[in-house]
Amino acid sequence: MSTPAKGFRDGLLVALSIPGLILAFSAAGFGALARDAGMSLGNSVFMMGVFFALPAQVVMMDQIARGGSVFGGALVVMLTGVRLLPMVVAIMPLLKDGERTTWRQVLAVHAVAVTAWIEGMRRLPSLPEDQRLSHFLGIGVGLVGTTLIGTATGFLLAGSVPKIVAAVLLFLTPIYFFLSLLATSGAPSDRIAVLTGAALGPVLYVLVPGLDLLLTGLIAGTIGHFGGQRWARLWEGEEP
């Protein structure tokens, strides 16, 4: 019999899946880089648990390593976090728990990052409504726990892991996210947006660091939207 408790347990198992293992290795890469930047083990693990978003953590770590101000770091982290807002808006209809917002929904939203969001959007629609929130909470708890362990492991092993290996591990999550977006893109506008974003990202990172993620999403999403409409008209044989 399917129950919310079973949904929660099934969600925990995502931490042992391929996406969960990729996230764990990415967290290990962050732990190694954090130690190299002079952070303590406690601060590294705390940052992972509180932020639970690798780009924001890397940005904050970079600011600390450069001797930047806390305000400047907080501002840049806030800008990188803007990308999560559309993800929260997209998944919230699947996390309804009565008519009012509950503490369980607030807790679930904290887990909205790349891996948890993709797995949630993939799994939740096929589940009964009364199990969706519990299942996503299981996904979140499992993945957060996995990243905490991964961060601590990477930090402790940093002395024996070359920097290039730590950087490669950290890059696993963006690669997984990119490939997952392509695999789950159902419309031409989605694919256009993803590919345009992949091309614009490195360029905007050089030109406007700190605003690159925000501008990449805005520009690529706009191009994808209007490009997808034009593609649909051409496909249907209509005049451009």
Side-chain angles (χ1 to χ4, degrees):
M1 178 179 177
S2 298
T3 63
K6 182 180 183 302
F8 180 82
R9 291 194 299 270
D10 291 342
L12 287 174
L13 295 177
V14 173
L16 302 178
S17 66
I18 296 299
L21 294 176
I22 290 176
L23 187 59
F25 281 116
S26 299
F30 167 75
L33 291 177
R35 179 171 177 174
D36 185 65
M39 296 181 64
S40 67
L41 174 60
N43 285 338
S44 303
V45 174
F46 177 77
M47 185 181 291
M48 175 61 74
V50 173
F51 284 32
F52 192 54
L54 283 171
Q57 293 164 217
V58 173
V59 166
M60 178 60 82
M61 183 178 64
D62 179 67
Q63 289 291 311
I64 293 173
R66 295 185 185 192
S69 67
V70 175
F71 175 79
L75 178 61
V76 176
V77 168
M78 181 185 70
L79 291 174
T80 64
V82 170
R83 79 194 193 284
L84 300 176
L85 180 58
M87 297 164 66
V88 172
V89 173
I91 203 170
M92 279 305 294
L94 298 174
L95 302 179
K96 291 181 178 179
D97 186 21
E99 297 181 357
R100 297 184 301 173
T101 299
T102 67
W103 67 268
R104 298 173 75 231
Q105 287 176 305
V106 173
L107 184 61
V109 166
H110 178 63
V112 176
V114 172
T115 305
W117 183 80
I118 288 179
E119 290 303 305
M121 295 298 291
R122 184 172 69 87
R123 294 165 173 266
L124 297 183
S126 62
L127 295 177
E129 289 188 8
D130 62 341
Q131 294 185 34
R132 292 175 180 173
L133 180 55
S134 296
H135 187 74
F136 190 75
L137 282 170
I139 293 174
V141 171
L143 291 180
V144 170
T146 296
T147 56
L148 295 181
I149 296 173
T151 300
T153 302
F155 187 96
L156 296 174
L157 295 178
S160 58
V161 177
K163 293 182 181 179
I164 186 63
V165 175
V168 169
L169 290 175
L170 193 64
F171 202 58
L172 285 176
T173 293
I175 292 175
Y176 159 72
F177 188 36
F178 177 70
L179 295 178
S180 297
L181 284 176
L182 284 179
T184 57
S185 297
S189 58
D190 298 334
R191 299 186 183 92
I192 293 172
V194 172
L195 294 175
T196 303
L200 283 177
V203 177
L204 292 178
Y205 174 77
V206 174
L207 296 178
V208 283
L211 293 174
D212 51 322
L213 288 175
L214 178 62
L215 291 178
T216 297
L218 180 63
I219 296 172
T222 301
I223 292 175
H225 174 71
F226 290 106
Q229 288 183 340
R230 181 174 178 81
W231 177 279
R233 290 196 298 267
L234 293 175
W235 182 263
E236 294 171 359
E238 298 181 4
E239 291 295 328

